[in-house]
Amino acid sequence: MSKTWKTLIIDDEQLARQRLIRLLKQYNHIDIIGEAVNGKDGLEKIETLLPDLIFLDIEMPVFNGFEMLAQLKHQPKVVFTTAYDQYAIKAFEEDSIDYLLKPVETERLERTIKRLEHLQHQQLSQLSLENLLEQLKVKRDIKTLTVKIGDKILLIKLESIVFIEVEDKYVFLHTTDGKKHLTDFTIGSLEDKLPEQFVRIHRSNIINSEHIKEIRKSFNGAFVFVMNNAANSRLTSSRSNGEILRERFGI
C-alpha cells in the first residue's frame, strides 16, 4: 500500500499553484494540506503543518527556495519546480532530488510521483542540499526585476537600476528616473541573482557599476561611490569590503 504524502505547495505564482494542485488531485496518496505564497510563508507552514512532501518554487520573494530550506527544522521531501536551464537540471539529477520544469506537464509529474514512491524510505540529505545550492550559484541571464504595486506588477529593467538599498529592513531599487521601488526580494537573494555589473559594497547596498560616476577614498580603507543619477547619490562601502573593491576596480 502506498504511503499517503501530506503535501504543501509553495510558489508565489497563483496560476502555477492552481495547475499543480489540479494535476496532483488525480493521485489518491497525495494529500494536499495547504499552499504558501513565498519562502517566509512556506517556512511558517512547514513548521506548523509538518508535511511529508513539498513542491517548492526556487525564485520567490522574501526568501527564495534555498534560503527557506536552509532555515528548516522539519525536513520534508522536496520536489523543486523550476525554470532553470539544462546545466541546473543536471545538478538536480546528480543529487537525486527531483525537479519539475515549469509549466508542469502531466507525463513528467507521473514520473516524479513514481520516483517519490521509490524514495519514501530514504531521508533527504542536508549535504545534498548544500551541494545543490553551491552548484546552482549561477548568474541567470535576467533582464528585469519585478516590483508589485497594488494589483500591478512593474518590470524594472536592470540597466535602469542605479543602486539597491536596505532601509529599515525594506529593500528598495533606486532607478535612473529618480524613483525608488519597494521590492520583496532580500538583498542577499538579489546579490545571488544579479549579473556581474552589480556589486555588493555594504550589507545595505548593491551598486550597478555601469552607473558609477566617481570613486573616492574614505576613512579606514573604505570607498565612497558617487553615482551618476540626478541626485549624485553617495554610497560608502564597508571597511571589510575594501580589499575586494580595490581588486575589482583596480584602485
Side-chain angles (χ1 to χ4, degrees):
M1 184 175 177
S2 296
K3 169 187 172 68
T4 297
W5 296 84
K6 294 192 299 180
T7 302
L8 182 67
I9 311 297
I10 307 173
D11 196 313
D12 64 321
E13 299 177 27
Q14 183 179 5
L15 292 178
R17 294 197 309 272
Q18 291 174 343
R19 176 181 175 82
L20 188 53
I21 289 170
R22 185 172 67 251
L23 294 174
L24 287 171
K25 281 186 175 178
Q26 65 183 301
Y27 301 101
N28 293 329
H29 54 296
I30 299 293
D31 178 18
I32 299 171
I33 60 173
E35 305 173 48
V37 299
N38 57 49
K40 181 176 183 293
D41 187 26
L43 179 64
E44 293 170 353
K45 286 182 177 174
I46 287 171
E47 302 298 0
T48 301
L49 300 175
L50 304 178
D52 305 306
L53 171 66
I54 60 174
F55 285 82
L56 178 63
D57 188 18
I58 293 175
E59 292 193 0
M60 296 182 294
V62 188
F63 303 136
N64 66 34
F66 296 120
E67 290 171 329
M68 190 207 75
L69 287 174
Q71 300 179 65
L72 284 181
K73 295 178 181 177
H74 176 70
Q75 292 285 345
K77 292 286 191 297
V78 179
V79 176
F80 290 102
T81 56
T82 176
Y84 275 97
D85 60 19
Q86 293 300 314
Y87 173 85
I89 288 173
K90 181 64 175 174
F92 284 112
E93 293 173 334
E94 289 178 352
D95 280 273
S96 299
I97 300 173
D98 213 353
Y99 70 93
L100 289 168
L101 191 62
K102 291 182 179 180
V104 176
E105 299 294 339
T106 304
E107 290 183 4
R108 183 63 182 85
L109 180 60
E110 177 70 25
R111 285 162 49 196
T112 298
I113 298 300
K114 289 181 179 178
R115 186 173 187 183
L116 286 168
E117 291 171 352
H118 291 303
L119 293 176
Q120 64 181 291
H121 299 298
Q122 299 180 19
Q123 294 297 315
L124 181 62
S125 166
Q126 183 62 34
L127 179 59
S128 67
L129 282 176
E130 291 170 357
N131 288 342
L132 181 59
L133 180 55
E134 287 302 313
Q135 291 183 60
L136 293 182
K137 281 187 176 176
V138 181
K139 303 294 186 184
R140 294 191 63 201
D141 185 21
I142 61 171
K143 303 296 183 184
T144 61
L145 290 176
T146 57
V147 172
K148 297 176 182 177
I149 301 179
D151 294 332
K152 297 189 297 183
I153 297 177
L154 301 182
L155 298 178
I156 307 298
K157 293 182 178 180
L158 296 191
E159 63 262 29
S160 73
I161 299 172
V162 179
F163 65 96
I164 299 164
E165 186 170 37
V166 178
E167 296 180 19
D168 297 325
K169 298 183 180 180
Y170 295 100
V171 179
F172 293 92
L173 311 178
H174 291 256
T175 50
T176 52
D177 59 5
K179 295 179 180 179
K180 69 177 187 179
H181 304 274
L182 176 64
T183 177
D184 287 332
F185 293 108
T186 65
I187 197 164
S189 65
L190 287 173
E191 183 181 17
D192 287 339
K193 177 191 295 290
L194 291 169
E196 295 300 326
Q197 73 261 30
F198 288 87
V199 183
R200 183 84 174 261
I201 64 167
H202 189 277
R203 62 191 177 101
S204 298
N205 292 117
I206 294 174
I207 61 171
N208 184 345
S209 61
E210 296 180 356
H211 287 291
I212 297 172
K213 183 178 181 180
E214 298 176 11
I215 303 176
R216 302 176 183 178
K217 292 183 179 180
S218 186
F219 299 106
N220 299 319
F223 296 94
V224 175
F225 291 84
V226 183
M227 310 307 290
N228 68 356
N229 56 348
N232 287 324
S233 298
R234 301 184 180 197
L235 305 169
T236 303
S237 71
S238 63
R239 185 175 58 180
S240 60
N241 280 350
E243 187 61 38
I244 294 172
L245 294 173
R246 275 192 292 273
E247 183 177 342
R248 170 68 185 267
F249 294 107
I251 52 180

